[in-house]
Every structure is written in C-alpha cells, then in structure tokens.
Amino acid sequence: MKSPLVFVIAAMVTCIVAQDPYYVWPDVFNDEERDAFYYGQFPDDFKWSTATSSYQIEGAWDVEDKGESVWDTFAHEGTHVANGDTGDVACDSYNLYATDVQLIKNMGLSYYRFSLSWPRILPNGRPDSASADGLRYYNALINELLDNDINPQVTLYHWDLPQALEDEGGFLSDDFPQWFNDYATYCFEQFGDRVKFWITFNEPWIIAVLGYGDGVFAPGLNGIGDKVYNVSHNLILGHAMAYRTYDSTYRASQEGLIGITLNSDNFYPFNPKVQLDVEGTERIRQFQVGWFAHAIFKNGDYPEVMKTRVAEKSEQQGYFKSRLPEFTEEEKLFIVGTSDFFGLNTYTSSAIIGTRIEAPRPASWETDLNVIPYKDRTWPTSGSSWLRPVPWGIRNLLNWVSEEYGSDTAIYITENGVSTEDVNDLNDESRTKYYMAYINEVLKAYKIDAVNVKGYVAWTLMDNFEWSDGFSERFGLHYVDFTDPDRPRTPKESTKTYSTIIQENGFFPPEPSSGNSGIANTMLVVISLMFAVNFAN
Ligand code: GBH
C-alpha cells in the first residue's frame, strides 16, 4: 500500500506547486525563458522610493524673492509647451508639501526623491543672493519627511537653471562648474546634516541635447552639432567639482552618498546577425550613456568611439578642430571616480539599425553616431509616443551597465514609470502592469544575474507638469485635478500594487487559487494522514 500512496502524494504536490508560468502581457511578451514571472525578494536594505522634480510640482514661481528659472522663461513664452501650459502653480507643492509627504507615507515608502530649485534657493544663482524663504521651504519639507521616517534623496539639478546664470551663458560658460560647485556647497552646508543621498544632475543628455541642441526644452537653443558637446563638458566638470567638495569637506561629518543620474533606453541590435546593427547599438550606448559615464566611472575621458567619430567628421565638415572638447590630463584625474553610485532612469527600449558613415552638414549629435532607433509596433503603447513598455529591456540595460562599469558599481533605478492613455482613469491597469513587469525584471537582474541594484524609484508620486507636453501626459501614482484650485490628489489603483510590492520587498508566490487546488489541498491532507497512520502501523 505504501508505494502507490507515495506516488499519489507526489503527483498532488506537483499539481499544486507547478503553476503555469504567469505573464503580465501574455499576448506580447510570452517567451517562457525570458518573460515568465519570477517570485522572490530584494535584499533587506533595498531602497524603495518615488520621485518628483521642483519645476514639475512646486508652483509658486514668483513667491517672495524667488528668482526665475529658464523653465519659467521658456514656458511663459507661450509657444513651447502643449496648450500653453506653465508650471506657475503646477501641483502647488510649495504649499501642499505636507500632503505630499502623507501620500508617500501611505504607500509605505521610506525614501522620497525630489529636486531643489536653484533659483528658489539662490535667486540670482549665486550664494550672495541666498533666499531666506527658499531655505525655510526646503528645511520644512526635509523635516516633514524625517518626522515621517522618510529619507530624502535630493537632486541638485533637475533642469531649472537660474535665468540670471543663463543670461551669462549658462552651461556654455566656462564659469559654469564654479557656479554649480558654489550652489552645491551651499546645499551641503544647509541640508547635509539631514540629507544622506545626493544626485548632482538629472539626465545630462536631456540638458545638452533637448535644451541646447534641439531647443525643445529650456533654454531652447539650437546647437545640436557643437553646443551640446560644450554643455556636457562643463556639466561633467561641475559634477566632478561638487563631488570633490563633498568628499573633501562634508563626507566625514555627513556620511552620505553622492552620484549622478543618467537616462537611457535599452538599446539592442535590430538584427543581431547584422554587424552594422551590432556596432550601431554599441555606438549609441557610448554616445548617450558613455558620453558622461565613461569619464566619471572609467578613465576621466570620453569613449574612444566618440573621440574618433566626432574628430573625423568635424574634419570632413571643415571644422579646424574636433567639435568634441578635450579634457586636460589634470582634469581627467579630477573627474575619474566621482560617483558613489550609478543612477539610472529608464522607461523603454529601442531596436537599433546601424547606418553607414557619412558626415552631412550641418553637423549633429544624431548624425555623428549613424543609427536609426526603431520601436517595434507590437509593443504595448502608453500615453507618450516615445514610450512603449518593454519589461525585459530594463534587465538587459542593467546587465549592460553592470558589465560596462563594473559589477561592484552600485546601481539605483532613479526613475521608471509610465503615462497612461486614458488620463482620467483612476483604475490605471496599464500602469499596474508596467510596475509589476518592470520591477519583476529588476528582481531577475538582482537575483539571477547578480547585478548590484540597490534601489528603485517610481516616476512619479503624482501627475505633474510633463515639460513640453504640459499637463497633457500623466505619469502619476496619484491623480491631480489641475482644474481645482486646491489641486486635490487621489490615489490611483497602481498605488496599491506598488505598496504591495514594497511590503513584500518583491513578489511572494501566489496562493494556489483554483477550485481544483482547494480540493487537492484537502485531499493531500487526508492522504498524508492515511499515509502517516499506515506508516506508524
Ligand atoms: C524623465 O526624462 C525626466 O527626468 C522627468 O522629469 C520626466 O517627467 C519623465 O522622464 C517622464 O518623461 O518628445 O520625443 O522629443 C525621461 C526622458 C525626456 C524621454 C523627454 C522623452 C521626450 C522626447 N524623457 N523625452 S520627444
């Protein structure tokens, strides 16, 4: 009697434990090896967070002595932002910050990533103009967070440069690194006793290419072939200066971390068998991420492929020297090793088609790299034309960053999220799916691939001013009614999903839920008892 019983028990157990693989988007991403849902936990000290940025939420653009930022100017011009929207009031977080803190707390988060408005703190950009009200506001926010057991993760620069400094050349001025360092020093001095996580710049690529290249973001300049390279050059030097200041003067007493946040799609070859596509993929990674990360994380200098490509093309285009500036040997030593972590913002993937080298005029960052990015039409859509969810992409990208910059490099996902097509939908199922699937892929990167990922920040706490798309695109975990002067915030369904993931610190395996397995459970208990009795006899 014993052996058939053992067989029956084994069969029942298999029945219950082996569930069909679960897929978040079964009709699109259903490769069992790649897309099957994975159950497990993040490390105990994993940092869960959500993010915003000053211009996108604060409003109060001209309160007290606040200086204007380039985004105030740009939005007020009336032609650059969808529907003529501005951030004049936005979510009114200048007044409603305590409400924001409660929303964060309600989701069970212990971190909050926000940015400081440089011109609110230093109206003319320099410490001699320090605003008492700016100081009061950020002290109040930071203290409110700490009183609620939420740790601040502070971005020093999320795109709102003081207009006064832009008037003196902004990122194109050789004085930019010093200006940024003075501002950063003031912030370490004032807030560093309580802020232990600093990000110098959010997405330098956007600052250079969209702000000073295509002109679709403030300050709206057109220098896609040349200015972009000078902007990033000064930005890297400014970043390094602020890091060195923190390291030499504040780290010992304040004991925080300081790093930089870069943005990238997951790039992969359109056809992995075509050499042009494979090389094009590596090139765009180097031109987009390597542009900043190579110097900071590797050797103080730009990637080889950028140096040779831009130099060659500049020559063919009739420039007398490369459009890509050079760092001195001294600067290289100053820059290398200036980030305690790699902050990564990522939303989507692009397949890359490599094209043949040519040097058209006018020169451009885009034609310097010779690729065509492509979005697969079968991928799910979102509320933004540039954003199609591709969950496995984040795992690929994490692996690339880890291989390229060293497996010891601590990586934080400092932004990830999605806009929804139905903007009024509190039942935001597509966002729920996005977070489930993306965070699950981050978990695979950590558990299966041993990528050193330390934290995850969901973009964004609430609907806000989505730059040139104004209020027409909503990325929020909370809905904000922009027609109501009180700017009420309402949790969307996705807040529950995110809270559950945080609570579980990952994903617990599902309870056996089908009717059959309920019966199977009961039978299992009965058979086990029979077996035990039989065995005891
Ligand atoms: C992040 O940038 C930003 O840090 C954050 O402030 C922003 O709200 C969030 O993403 C959502 O967009 O219109 O085709 O010219 C991510 C980079 C910048 C990518 C804007 C898409 C528009 C490209 N995004 N960009 S396009």
Side-chain angles (χ1 to χ4, degrees), residues 130-199:
S131 160
D133 187 62
L135 198 56
R136 177 206 59 78
Y137 173 65
Y138 289 114
N139 274 328
L141 170 59
I142 291 167
N143 294 341
E144 184 72 15
L145 286 165
L146 292 174
D147 286 348
N148 285 278
D149 300 317
I150 299 161
N151 299 293
Q153 297 173 311
V154 174
T155 309
L156 287 164
Y157 188 81
H158 200 126
W159 311 351
D160 44 359
L161 188 73
Q163 181 62 45
L165 295 181
E166 180 56 32
D167 293 343
E168 293 181 50
F171 283 81
L172 291 166
S173 167
D174 291 342
D175 293 331
F176 179 82
Q178 188 63 52
W179 294 338
F180 182 72
N181 185 58
D182 292 346
Y183 160 59
T185 305
Y186 181 82
C187 296
F188 301 148
E189 192 72 46
Q190 297 296 336
F191 309 121
D193 57 333
R194 288 151 296 155
V195 173
K196 306 299 169 192
F197 193 98
W198 295 97
I199 294 168

Side-chain angles (χ1 to χ4, degrees), residues 86-108:
T86 73
D88 289 2
V89 181
C91 305
D92 197 22
S93 288
Y94 176 80
N95 293 304
L96 299 177
Y97 68 90
T99 309
D100 295 347
V101 173
Q102 288 314 304
L103 306 180
I104 300 160
K105 192 179 181 179
N106 290 343
M107 286 192 288

Side-chain angles (χ1 to χ4, degrees), residues 53 56 113 158-159 202-203 205-206 210 214 216-217 263 345 347 384-387 415 459 464-469 473 475:
S53 87
Q56 293 179 277
R113 176 180 175 226
H158 200 126
W159 311 351
N202 180 68
E203 304 189 351
W205 183 87
I206 298 275
L210 299 194
D214 295 336
V216 297
F217 281 9
N263 63 297
N345 291 358
Y347 290 84
S384 310
S385 57
W386 56 273
L387 201 174
E415 276 180 33
W459 182 269
N464 56 44
F465 179 85
E466 179 51 25
W467 307 113
S468 50
D469 296 306
E473 286 182 17
F475 279 77

Side-chain angles (χ1 to χ4, degrees), residues 372-383:
I372 301 168
Y374 169 88
K375 303 245 183 239
D376 194 321
R377 298 283 152 203
T378 65
W379 292 339
T381 53
S382 75

Side-chain angles (χ1 to χ4, degrees), residues 223-243:
I224 191 68
D226 41 29
K227 287 194 180 79
V228 289
Y229 294 117
N230 298 94
V231 165
S232 54
H233 201 73
N234 290 332
L235 185 152
I236 292 167
L237 287 167
H239 160 84
M241 259 179 114
Y243 181 95

Side-chain angles (χ1 to χ4, degrees), residues 22-26 29 34-38 42 380 389-395 416 429-445 456 497 501 507:
Y22 166 65
Y23 300 107
V24 176
W25 271 282
F29 304 112
R34 188 191 63 189
D35 303 318
F37 205 80
Y38 180 84
F42 286 94
V390 188
W392 53 264
I394 198 169
R395 180 178 175 191
N416 179 237
E429 199 195 335
S430 60
R431 181 170 293 105
T432 288
K433 286 165 89 170
Y434 186 97
Y435 281 125
M436 286 286 284
Y438 266 77
I439 297 172
N440 199 248
E441 294 293 334
V442 176
L443 180 65
K444 291 179 194 170
Y456 178 92
T497 311
I501 296 172
F507 304 89

